[in-house]
Amino acid sequence: MAGVSSRDAGTLEPASHAVTRGRRARPPAILWAPAALVGAAMALPLVYLIIRGLGGGAEFWELLFRVRTLEILLRSALLVGAVTAASLAIAAPLAWLTVRTDLPFRRTWAVLTSLPLVIPSYIGAFLAIAALGPRGMLQQGLEGIFGVERLPEIYGFPGAMIVLTLLSYPYVLLPCRAALSRMDPSLEEASKSLGYGAWHTFRRITLPLMRPAMGSGALLVALYTLSDFGAVSLMRYETFTWAIYLQYESAFDRTLAAGLSLALVVFAVGILLMEYATRGRGGYHRSSSGSARPPAPLRLGRWKWPALGFCGAVVALAMALPMAILAYWVARGVLAGESVPNLWSATANSLYVSLAAAAAALLAALPVAILAARFPGKTASLLERASHIGFALPGIAVALALVFFGSQFATGLYQTVALLIFAYVVLFLPAGVGVLRASLLQISPRLEEAARSLGRGALGAMGTITLPLLSPGLLAGGALVFLLTMKELPATLILGPIGFKSLATSIWSTSSEAFFAQAASHALTLILVSSAPMAFIMMRERRLEG
């Protein structure tokens, strides 16, 4: 049996039904109009940055071509490449183990391995320094037992890479899990029936079919790493975002900060073009009738214990260690007489805006993803690429852009929750677009064509055929946006209405005032509340498998 690849047209047909009988079909207005509106909305921060940057005149162009700017570019590129590669190496095996094997407690592992996504990067980096730093908790324990006086420093590139990898690999894990749950198992079964082993089947069949999900997840990891400030600042590794924040908050120079942000946009566009160039042109669904049944779990046999060890090591480093440190700070603060804060108001605010942002982002992502998957072309590709720009920008740049437009052109929305939710959509729309596009590529367009041939209209076919089959992707995309919104800090601080407090802003304010027990209480609540959507997805998977 030939392996499935992006160039394989024998067993898989092109994902799009837009090309029929040699002609490219035009997308209906009901898709085109909202997708164009979404693209225009995503361009708002970029317009603001261009206005600010070009207002700097010659100083703006001098800044872009400094040697220092090139050095920052190379540092950022090195970190982006390393974190993306490491995240793929962790997430792809985790997705396969928790979906396709008989791994013990695999649904529990699926939830636990997804939760690092909710930990803010500045909290993750601070906890890593507290635990593994030269004078951290590990060194203090080793000093009492073995006399170790100082551990090697984790500052710089190694620390930033480790922290960002442990916090961002779920960007790849969630889309890959959604892709594996939708994958037709008959292709893998055919490979095995022809005598190929599990590894060969995974390498030649499963892995290529996961390619769209891995690509969309890797793109999110790359853009998230590019836009991160918390981890790189605490780990003292200078990237674009650190330089931008210094200009905004230290030099109070928004013009130069806008210039650096535009350079960051150019870098992000380069990443987007690279991802687009590496996409396969083949499809990822069967051209014949497939199977809706779940696959039989693969028996790990003697590999069960190494698999458990791998999952346990990832969870221990990414979740158990941070949770243990946070719990220790809470206990120490309570014993020292520090008061436990009232968590209800901040929790309710976080849940409200996160659920609203997830719903709004999915509504905005759906027409863009359908155009990209079903009607590929230059315009659809441009709209899809444009939707990712906000994710690469620091939250403060997007927030200040919306402050400018809100105060100048939409005064009724200024300082409202609606503008805050819009900012979340601008920042996190790619999480929905990438997952939905990868899921749509696995749904045969012939099913929609059959529904239309039986009298269903375009909307009817979409509602009765595509959306139910797309539900794993919708849940995964919504969960990503929800988790990202729960921990977003700069946009919430700047755009939130007066008196509005979320769990993320409460963590920031209490930790800034050295109330570590209160900050840890809010952080633990953030993690526990954010586990709810993951548990819901796992329960739904159990019902579907039943």
Side-chain angles (χ1 to χ4, degrees), residues 19-80:
V19 181
T20 56
R21 298 181 181 179
R23 294 184 300 173
R24 186 178 300 276
R26 294 172 62 89
I30 197 169
L31 288 177
W32 170 254
L37 186 61
V38 169
M42 297 303 106
L44 285 179
L46 187 59
V47 172
Y48 167 79
L49 293 176
I50 292 174
I51 294 173
R52 278 287 184 184
L54 295 181
E59 192 176 7
F60 165 74
W61 298 105
E62 180 186 351
L63 173 70
L64 291 182
F65 294 102
R66 287 177 185 170
V67 175
R68 185 66 172 167
T69 304
L70 178 61
E71 293 176 351
I72 295 173
L73 173 66
L74 294 177
R75 283 196 186 96
S76 301
L78 177 62
L79 185 63
V80 166

Side-chain angles (χ1 to χ4, degrees), residues 79 121-139 142 150-166 230-238 242 317 321 325:
L79 185 63
S121 63
Y122 61 87
I123 292 294
F126 186 74
L127 294 176
I129 293 171
L132 306 175
R135 300 296 299 175
M137 301 169 74
L138 177 61
Q139 185 275 327
L142 293 176
R150 188 176 181 85
L151 291 176
E153 291 194 1
I154 65 171
Y155 296 105
F157 174 79
M161 176 194 168
I162 292 171
V163 170
L164 287 173
T165 298
L166 291 176
V232 296
S233 61
L234 288 174
M235 289 297 176
R236 305 173 190 172
Y237 185 75
E238 189 175 16
W242 193 2
L317 291 174
L321 182 61
I325 297 174

Side-chain angles (χ1 to χ4, degrees), residues 430-469:
V433 172
V435 176
L436 293 182
R437 177 186 172 273
S439 298
L440 280 165
L441 289 176
Q442 291 184 306
I443 301 173
S444 174
R446 291 188 175 181
L447 297 175
E448 301 166 23
E449 294 170 359
R452 287 197 295 272
S453 69
L454 294 174
R456 293 278 186 178
L459 284 181
M462 183 69 65
T464 58
I465 302 296
T466 308
L467 289 182
L469 294 174

Side-chain angles (χ1 to χ4, degrees), residues 530-545:
S530 299
S531 65
M534 303 312 305
F536 174 77
I537 292 175
M538 297 306 109
M539 291 172 60
R540 187 179 184 280
E541 284 185 1
R542 183 189 294 269
R543 289 197 301 270
L544 289 175
E545 290 178 3

Side-chain angles (χ1 to χ4, degrees), residues 9 13 53 113 152 271 290 321 363 372 399 437 523:
E13 69 176 15
T113 53
I271 294 176
L321 182 61
L363 286 175
R437 177 186 172 273

Side-chain angles (χ1 to χ4, degrees), residues 69-131:
T69 304
L70 178 61
E71 293 176 351
I72 295 173
L73 173 66
L74 294 177
R75 283 196 186 96
S76 301
L78 177 62
L79 185 63
V80 166
V83 172
T84 303
S87 297
L88 284 168
I90 293 174
L94 281 178
W96 183 73
L97 286 171
T98 56
V99 175
R100 287 302 183 93
T101 72
D102 64 346
L103 181 75
F105 310 107
R106 57 177 181 161
R107 292 184 183 86
T108 303
W109 289 119
V111 174
L112 293 177
T113 53
S114 301
L115 285 181
L117 192 66
V118 309
I119 301 177
S121 63
Y122 61 87
I123 292 294
F126 186 74
L127 294 176
I129 293 171

